[in-house]
Amino acid sequence: MAAISHADIVNAPKALLHDHLDGGLRPATVVELAEAVGHELPETDPARLGEWFVAAADSGSLERYLETFAHTVAVMQTEEGLRRVARECALDLAADGVVYAEIRYAPEQHLERGLSLDQVVDAVHAGFEEGCAEAAAAGKRIRIGTLLTAMRHAARSQEIAELAVRYRDAGVVGFDIAGAEAGFPPTRHLDAFEYLQRENFHFTIHAGEAFGLPSIWQAIQWCGADRLGHGVRIVDDITGGSLGRLASYVRDKRIPLELCPSSNVQTGAADSIAEHPIGLLHDLRFRVTVNTDNRLMSGTSMSREMALLAEAFGWGWSELQWLTINAMKSAFIPYDERLAIITDVIKPAYAKLLA
Ligand SMILES: [Zn+2]
């Protein structure tokens, strides 16, 4: 079979579950918003700034990777800034052929200039509504749900969980915790997770990225996570194709892994795309999904991640369809709406590509 081109992949429908709003800004937007609020950047030329973000994130440590967010978060402290970033996020994803996306951000990080948590969520939703409407008018339909993230080193998870539940009928589809993993186990936020379970709400937890199996085990068996943000270290419980108890549980229970190949290579969780455990996890039939994590810091897109995997593992349209349907099955929107996107949008498009 001929190799799949990047342009073909752009045209194929894709679903994205793990993408940070503050990790996906356009470099030119960072420059303009920084100027408007008087924030100093390491570079003021958009192209050079874009390169700076990727280089800084390439350092190999999760802690330094997180430093790059000081600049993006600094320009997302006003309603105008948040709204613009969300609108452009929707437009960029739609242009890349993403038909369903869950975008996450931490409202508590956007309060430096006096916004309330509710104002932050309202501004982001307004931006997504605008962006999705504009994309649809241009013939590129995209559905976006948001996940509210609490920072794992902070102590606001209960408050953010309540905020997410309050906005559950207004576009928030789930909850997440993120930030440096070592030293901040998910069980620190057990009250928030137990509250969410009692509210019949969905959540994912960043676990098993920089840190290993105990973090994944806690996220699932103590906190009750529906999905694993990354979860890539589950391979530590697999020896020569033989699964340990935790890996078996994750696979057999069909717990979705939100894998982010380029991001993992940057933070050192994998040595290269070709050596990324996604190949093994695919072969062992885990519920694997492909994600961008931070498009700005990784200089990437959904289509680029798919193209890198197709090249590294010789994957074709059937694998890309499998990954896309896996993601759609694992989405936090209602089952009938997930099914409608699978049967009306994804399967017909891939049937043509497979023919
Ligand atoms: Zn992430």
Side-chain angles (χ1 to χ4, degrees):
M1 197 180 71
I4 298 175
S5 78
H6 184 269
D8 289 337
I9 295 176
V10 170
N11 288 321
K14 293 167 292 296
L16 170 57
L17 301 180
H18 190 130
D19 185 272
H20 294 265
L21 185 65
D22 56 345
L25 288 75
R26 298 175 182 173
T29 298
V30 180
V31 171
E32 284 175 36
L33 290 176
E35 207 174 270
V37 298
H39 175 77
E40 201 177 322
L41 293 171
E43 296 282 351
T44 51
D45 171 72
R48 279 208 299 275
L49 182 65
E51 287 161 17
W52 179 88
F53 272 107
V54 175
D58 255 338
S59 62
S61 108
L62 180 63
E63 280 70 20
R64 262 212 66 198
Y65 188 82
L66 295 172
E67 272 176 40
T68 58
F69 291 91
H71 295 294
T72 56
V73 168
V75 303
M76 297 168 71
Q77 300 296 336
T78 62
E79 285 177 321
E80 307 79 65
L82 286 163
R83 189 171 173 149
R84 173 168 174 183
V85 169
R87 171 183 166 271
E88 292 176 353
C89 171
L91 290 170
D92 291 350
L93 293 178
D96 189 42
V98 175
V99 296
Y100 177 79
E102 289 177 8
I103 306 298
R104 62 188 76 192
Y105 64 101
E108 67 198 72
Q109 293 193 304
H110 303 278
L111 309 178
E112 283 167 24
R113 286 178 191 251
L115 291 182
S116 68
L117 291 171
D118 289 58
Q119 283 173 319
V120 171
V121 176
D122 288 334
V124 169
H125 285 176
F128 278 133
E129 253 171 59
E130 265 173 36
C132 290
E134 276 178 59
K140 291 267 188 188
R141 291 193 74 80
I142 180 169
R143 162 94 188 261
I144 292 181
T146 59
L147 307 186
L148 299 191
T149 296
M151 300 309 293
R152 56 201 312 154
H153 59 268
R156 299 186 80 157
S157 50
Q158 177 67 28
E159 190 184 1
I160 302 303
E162 287 171 17
L163 180 71
V165 168
R166 203 157 73 241
Y167 274 88
R168 69 191 307 172
D169 295 320
V172 176
V173 300
F175 174 85
D176 166 47
I177 58 166
E181 217 176 329
F184 300 102
T187 42
R188 269 172 58 107
H189 306 281
L190 207 50
D191 288 351
F193 298 124
E194 287 176 351
Y195 161 76
L196 292 167
Q197 286 178 305
R198 288 193 301 273
E199 291 293 335
N200 304 303
F201 201 63
H202 303 290
F203 57 94
T204 177
I205 295 178
H206 273 77
E209 179 186 12
F211 208 62
L213 297 173
S215 181
I216 294 177
W217 176 69
Q218 282 197 5
I220 296 168
Q221 307 299 15
W222 286 80
C223 306
D226 297 285
R227 306 193 308 231
L228 288 168
H230 295 282
V232 62
R233 300 285 10 127
I234 195 66
V235 292
D236 295 350
D237 198 36
I238 302 172
T239 319
S242 164
L243 278 60
R245 297 282 181 204
L246 180 61
S248 294
Y249 187 89
V250 168
R251 182 186 66 173
D252 299 343
K253 192 95 170 161
R254 315 307 296 142
I255 293 174
L257 303 175
E258 304 164 357
L259 298 178
C260 308
S262 289
S263 172
N264 288 163
V265 172
Q266 283 186 302
T267 56
D271 290 335
S272 68
I273 299 288
E275 290 161 279
H276 194 283
I278 192 169
L280 174 67
L281 295 167
H282 158 271
D283 294 346
L284 293 171
R285 285 332 218 199
F286 278 77
R287 174 71 73 81
V288 169
T289 71
V290 174
N291 301 275
T292 46
D293 209 10
N294 299 293
R295 287 170 286 118
L296 172 64
M297 287 72 178
S298 299
T300 201
S301 65
M302 260 315 268
S303 295
R304 182 172 173 275
E305 293 301 303
M306 291 288 206
L308 289 171
L309 294 170
E311 194 190 338
F313 297 105
W315 288 351
W317 290 119
S318 72
E319 284 86 0
L320 300 196
Q321 173 176 241
W322 180 75
L323 293 163
T324 304
I325 290 177
N326 275 353
M328 210 56 241
K329 281 180 178 170
S330 311
F332 286 157
I333 56 169
Y335 176 68
D336 51 348
E337 294 172 40
R338 281 180 261 159
L339 209 56
I341 296 176
I342 291 172
T343 54
D344 301 342
V345 181
I346 296 170
K347 282 191 171 171
Y350 283 89
K352 275 189 206 159
L353 293 164
L354 283 159

